[in-house]
Amino acid sequence: MKIALLLPRSVIYPSISFDIMDGFKQSLKNMGLEGYHEIISAGIGVAAKNEEIYDHCEQFLLAGTDIIIGYMNPFSAEFVHPLFESSGKSLIVLDSGYHFPKFSKKLSNAWFISLQGGLCTRVITHKAIEDGFRNFAFSCSFYDAGYRPSYVYAAAAEEKGGSIVFNHITSLKRSDFTLKPLTEFLEKEQNTAVLATFCGDMAEDFFAGSSEMSGHYKVYGTGFTADETWLGKITYPGYDWSTAIAWSRNLKIPENEIFVNIMDGIKYGKANLFSLLGWEAAQLIGLENTEFNEMTIHSPRGKVYMNPENGFSETEVYYATVSKDDKTGNCLLKDCYAASVTEMEREALERNIEYIRTVEANTWLNAYACLES
């Protein structure tokens, strides 16, 4: 079988393309399929130019490729999907979950392995409400403001009897970064919790800036804000905070121990969200599978089920606490456990997605966390 990977790039995650490819190949090797498939690849920048992605897909399919795997958003997948319908071939989309799909009917030849970013956002909002908060300050980077967690936080809070009472979006330029408006507001409104979404160096700036307010307010963060690739580089801000995540290297799952050992055997930190996506893609394909509806794989993050109704993968979301690594003084993720409200929040998220389809709503078009310098 001939398999092509469409690989993005990012200054936040400079190894992203290598991680996806290594995860894919190591997963095949772990299944005893090393060298069985012919694997080719192409770079697609930050995965924002649909025409460029289309051209790569067309050339690969004309060259006899059976399956194309790409880290892209659902808009790009929908744009290129006619090629897969025409050729009868399969598209596997590696998806952050930070976009909402525009299509309401499943794309017949496309399947999405998702990190469930929007679902993580709803789940952590549920915990904030459960902890007794009703008023929230929303804080994010200029970059993160263009993705769907910013909407999901507000929708979830309102649906649960809460509200966003203050919005704080940091500047595009790092040199202009400040949390002063947020901290001044929180000093006056001490029963207000923070719902945050930042990634990479933007998360680092947020927690460095918030250290002055240590202990004065409660922070809840979604998916990529608690990504362990960056957490280990971020100085502990002086307070623990709560998150909902797709995966952690600390999950006590036998498949996860195998995954982490194999990937970190290449290089420490190679076990991450992006190598996980590559690993799962290989698990789906296995020997020569090209039809993925209703498949279940035993992934490093638990059982992953491919929903035939929408073509998106479904699995557990985990609560965790970000605390201090006493060895380094930086952050670490601990106390991971499955969120019992995952399926309830998944249903609510579907209603959020349906609503967005009925209104005009702007969004960034690049794949999440893929940025040029």
Side-chain angles (χ1 to χ4, degrees):
M1 183 179 286
K2 191 172 185 178
I3 302 169
L5 278 76
L6 301 177
L7 302 171
R9 67 170 176 264
S10 171
V11 295
I12 304 175
Y13 294 95
S15 66
I16 183 171
S17 60
F18 300 100
D19 293 339
I20 292 171
M21 180 66 84
D22 288 340
F24 184 72
K25 288 184 174 180
Q26 290 299 316
S27 182
L28 289 174
K29 183 178 180 181
N30 185 57
M31 292 185 286
L33 296 174
E34 184 178 22
Y36 183 83
H37 299 296
E38 180 184 353
I39 301 170
I40 54 178
S41 65
I44 53 172
V46 297
K49 297 179 180 178
N50 289 346
E51 292 78 7
E52 179 184 355
I53 297 171
Y54 187 99
D55 287 345
H56 283 303
C57 289
E58 185 175 45
Q59 291 303 313
F60 282 143
L61 293 172
L62 288 171
T65 300
D66 299 289
I67 297 176
I68 294 178
I69 303 165
Y71 185 79
M72 64 183 82
N73 66 51
F75 313 132
S76 298
E78 186 174 15
F79 185 86
V80 304
H81 185 252
L83 286 171
F84 294 86
E85 285 185 305
S86 300
S87 64
K89 303 301 183 181
S90 300
L91 171 66
I92 296 178
V93 179
L94 309 181
D95 168 56
S96 66
Y98 273 55
H99 294 86
F100 285 174
K102 288 184 178 179
F103 53 87
S104 56
K105 182 181 177 182
K106 181 193 177 301
L107 301 180
S108 60
N109 291 56
W111 292 266
F112 295 76
I113 302 176
S114 180
L115 294 175
Q116 305 183 125
L119 181 57
C120 291
T121 307
R122 282 204 63 100
V123 168
I124 196 58
T125 306
H126 182 98
K127 180 167 181 19
I129 292 286
E130 201 173 51
D131 286 349
F133 292 102
R134 293 296 180 270
N135 292 335
F136 300 100
F138 170 66
S139 186
C140 72
S141 68
F142 181 88
Y143 175 72
D144 282 274
Y147 298 97
R148 291 301 174 230
S150 56
Y151 165 71
V152 174
Y153 267 140
E158 186 174 318
E159 290 166 23
K160 297 173 186 299
S163 61
I164 305 293
V165 295
F166 187 79
N167 287 286
H168 174 257
I169 300 174
T170 61
S171 174
L172 176 62
K173 292 176 62 178
R174 289 190 76 187
S175 59
D176 294 334
F177 179 89
T178 178
L179 293 184
K180 186 176 180 181
L182 176 66
T183 55
E184 288 180 347
F185 176 81
L186 292 169
E187 285 171 353
K188 299 174 185 176
E189 304 291 338
Q190 295 187 359
N191 291 324
T192 302
V194 177
L195 301 176
T197 177
F198 293 85
C199 71
D201 54 358
M202 293 163 274
E204 186 174 17
D205 290 341
F206 173 78
F207 289 109
S210 67
S211 62
E212 297 176 3
M213 288 290 289
S214 173
H216 293 281
Y217 57 85
K218 183 79 172 177
V219 174
Y220 298 85
T222 191
F224 271 84
T225 308
D227 168 40
E228 287 165 299
T229 299
W230 273 93
L231 279 183
K233 306 175 187 177
I234 296 174
T235 302
Y236 179 68
Y239 60 88
D240 288 4
W241 56 278
S242 299
T243 184
I245 54 171
W247 168 84
S248 166
R249 61 185 297 114
N250 297 316
L251 288 178
K252 304 303 181 183
I253 298 172
E255 291 82 1
N256 193 43
E257 294 175 5
I258 293 170
F259 169 69
V260 172
N261 286 337
I262 289 175
M263 298 312 300
D264 281 1
I266 300 172
K267 180 182 178 182
Y268 183 79
K270 180 64 74 170
N272 57 47
L273 291 172
F274 301 110
S275 58
L276 171 70
L277 289 173
W279 183 279
E280 290 183 351
Q283 285 188 291
L284 280 178
I285 295 167
L287 193 63
E288 288 191 353
N289 188 41
T290 59
E291 171 61 47
F292 310 107
N293 285 338
E294 297 188 283
M295 272 195 71
T296 297
I297 59 173
H298 294 274
S299 156
R301 52 177 165 159
K303 290 183 180 180
V304 177
Y305 168 72
M306 190 62 71
N307 187 334
E309 298 298 318
N310 57 22
F312 279 79
S313 64
E314 297 181 353
T315 186
E316 297 278 12
V317 163
Y318 296 91
Y319 283 134
T321 298
V322 177
S323 190
K324 184 178 181 179
D325 184 337
D326 290 328
K327 294 180 181 178
T328 66
N330 293 339
C331 295
L332 60 74
L333 209 57
K334 69 175 187 179
D335 301 335
C336 301
Y337 63 97
S340 61
V341 299
T342 296
E343 294 311 313
M344 178 184 75
E345 294 301 338
R346 193 189 307 281
E347 292 177 8
L349 180 64
E350 286 301 316
R351 295 192 290 271
N352 296 155
I353 293 171
E354 187 57 39
Y355 173 75
I356 287 292
R357 291 193 185 108
T358 68
V359 299
E360 289 293 325
N362 294 326
T363 181
W364 304 136
L365 297 177
N366 58 299
Y368 184 75
C370 293
L371 270 177
E372 305 276 14
S373 58

